[in-house]
């Protein structure tokens, strides 16, 4: 009995130590974000950046945020990013779910080879693809539109792999029972497997939302019209126009730009661990 109590106490102590270590590292990781928010509320940061850096401004002011929302350009950038991101998320998640189901449960010639080709795309970074993609969209007259930012989302090798691993964990007997009842492949997917794919779908929504919202290099290449600029491009143009002279405004704008990502993540983050555990990525 005494030994059991000792083991429980040691376990509690180790858990407490781990929790303290995680809290310390969490605070360290959150420090840059807290400083960014702090500078955004510091009106004097537009004259000179506070040094040494402080987490609490001497005179808290919403002046910088008022200036950001006053000119209206941020709302246009938000609208542009919203159109691109929502469209990309819908296309990416839909194609990944359908493709993952096909690679997992489907039976067709060349499935393994095709899946290897899809995985091979993960080894090619965006930089070598910029020129071919630019020439492709230029030849069909889609530059300076949102289509070059949306259409490439149709195939995402990582999310396809994630979906396939998830559907591999679901029993084939569900599909066989539906086939006995006379259901076709699309009906099997939407009626049987799709309702079970909530966790993996939520994870893909988070990942694709972050990728699309934060995308900078590709939009910079294909969007020359300032009216079509997304939030990252607007933030970059604002920084180029003002340099480091308006540090408070720049930090306030950076804070506003990440708010949608934080909101989406807070709503859906509980599904990430669950979906990764079910998808077999943990090394099983």
């Amino acid at each position: 009995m005494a030994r059991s109590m000792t083991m429980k106490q040691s376990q509690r102590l180790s858990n407490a130590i781990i929790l303290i270590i995680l809290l310390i590292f969490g605070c360290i990781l959150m420090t840059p974000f807290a400083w960014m928010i702090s500078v955004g509320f510091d009106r004097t940061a537009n004259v000179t950046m506070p040094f040494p850096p402080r987490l609490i401004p001497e005179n808290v002011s919403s002046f910088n945020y008022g200036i950001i929302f006053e000119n209206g350009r941020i709302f246009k950038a938000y609208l542009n990013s919203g159109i691109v991101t929502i469209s990309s998320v819908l296309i990416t998640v839909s194609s990944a779910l359908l493709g993952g189901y096909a690679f997992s449960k489907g039976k067709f010639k060349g499935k393994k080879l095709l899946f290897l080709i899809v995985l091979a795309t993960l080894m090619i970074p965006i930089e070598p693809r910029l020129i071919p993609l630019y020439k492709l969209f230029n030849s069909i007259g889609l530059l300076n539109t949102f289509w070059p930012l949306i259409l490439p989302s149709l195939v995402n090798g990582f999310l396809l792999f994630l979906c396939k691993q998830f559907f591999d964990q679901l029993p084939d007997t569900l599909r066989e029972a539906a086939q006995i009842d006379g259901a076709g492949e699309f009906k099997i997917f939407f009626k049987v497997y799709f309702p079970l794919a909530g966790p993996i779908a939520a994870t893909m929504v988070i990942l694709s939302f972050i990728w699309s919202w934060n995308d900078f290099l590709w939009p910079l290449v294909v969007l020359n019209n300032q009216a079509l600029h997304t939030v990252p491009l607007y933030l970059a143009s604002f920084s180029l126009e003002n340099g480091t002279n308006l540090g408070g405004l720049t930090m306030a704008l950076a804070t506003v730009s990440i708010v949608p990502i934080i909101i989406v993540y807070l709503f859906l983050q509980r599904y990430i661990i669950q979906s990764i555990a079910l998808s077999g990525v943990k090394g099983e």
Side-chain angles (χ1 to χ4, degrees):
M1 185 67 178
R3 183 178 180 182
S4 177
M5 291 295 293
T6 303
M7 291 180 62
K8 289 182 179 180
Q9 291 176 352
S10 62
Q11 182 67 32
R12 290 176 181 174
L13 179 61
S14 62
N15 290 339
I17 293 174
I18 293 174
L19 179 60
I20 292 172
I21 293 174
L22 291 175
L23 285 174
I24 292 173
F25 278 100
C27 291
I28 293 174
L29 292 174
M30 289 299 297
T31 298
F33 295 98
W35 179 75
M36 177 180 68
I37 296 172
S38 172
V39 174
F41 282 104
D42 191 346
R43 183 171 180 174
T44 60
N46 293 323
V47 179
T48 177
M49 292 291 286
F51 187 84
R54 52 178 181 260
L55 295 181
I56 301 177
E58 290 184 356
N59 298 311
V60 179
S61 172
S62 60
F63 173 80
N64 295 324
Y65 291 94
I67 294 296
I68 289 173
F69 291 108
E70 186 179 37
N71 60 23
R73 288 180 61 188
I74 185 63
F75 295 110
K76 182 62 176 176
Y78 256 91
L79 178 62
N80 295 338
S81 286
I83 294 173
V84 171
T85 302
I86 293 173
S87 302
S88 298
V89 168
L90 290 175
I91 291 177
T92 303
V93 174
S94 301
S95 63
L97 285 172
L98 291 169
Y101 171 77
F103 281 120
S104 176
K105 305 301 181 184
K107 295 180 181 179
F108 53 90
K109 288 185 178 181
K111 182 175 77 170
K112 291 184 179 180
L113 177 61
L114 185 59
F115 187 62
L116 287 176
I117 294 175
V118 171
L119 291 182
T121 61
L122 297 176
M123 296 183 289
I124 306 175
I126 183 60
E127 289 78 9
R129 291 181 283 167
L130 287 179
I131 296 178
L133 283 173
Y134 182 88
K135 287 186 175 181
L136 172 63
F137 286 108
N138 186 40
S139 64
I140 56 180
L142 291 181
L143 293 181
N144 275 319
T145 68
F146 293 141
W147 289 112
L149 309 182
I150 298 172
L151 293 179
S153 305
L154 191 60
V155 179
N156 188 299
F158 175 73
L159 296 185
L160 269 172
F161 170 75
L162 202 64
C163 278
K164 179 185 180 299
Q165 294 297 98
F166 178 85
F167 286 120
D168 282 345
Q169 306 303 312
L170 300 180
D172 294 337
T173 53
L174 297 174
R175 179 170 177 266
E176 294 169 358
Q179 285 178 329
I180 293 174
D181 291 337
E185 289 297 340
F186 279 99
K187 189 173 182 179
I188 293 173
F189 172 75
F190 285 107
K191 295 292 185 180
V192 178
Y193 286 96
F194 182 72
L196 302 176
I200 195 68
T203 300
M204 290 192 298
V205 167
I206 294 174
L207 294 176
S208 57
F209 188 96
I210 293 174
W211 294 337
S212 181
W213 186 272
N214 288 336
D215 194 12
F216 173 76
L217 183 59
W218 179 234
L220 180 66
V221 172
V222 298
L223 296 180
N224 296 323
N225 188 352
Q226 193 176 62
L228 299 176
H229 277 187
T230 57
V231 171
L233 291 183
Y234 172 56
L235 177 59
S237 63
F238 182 88
S239 300
L240 287 174
E241 292 171 3
N242 299 282
T244 57
N245 296 327
L246 300 176
L249 280 171
T250 303
M251 290 300 179
L253 181 58
T255 302
V256 171
S257 68
I258 66 173
V259 168
I261 297 176
I262 296 174
I263 293 174
V264 171
Y265 183 80
L266 289 177
F267 272 104
L268 301 177
Q269 58 87 22
R270 67 180 182 275
Y271 293 106
I272 290 182
I273 297 176
Q274 180 183 357
S275 64
I276 291 178
L278 292 174
S279 63
V281 179
K282 55 183 179 182
E284 294 180 357

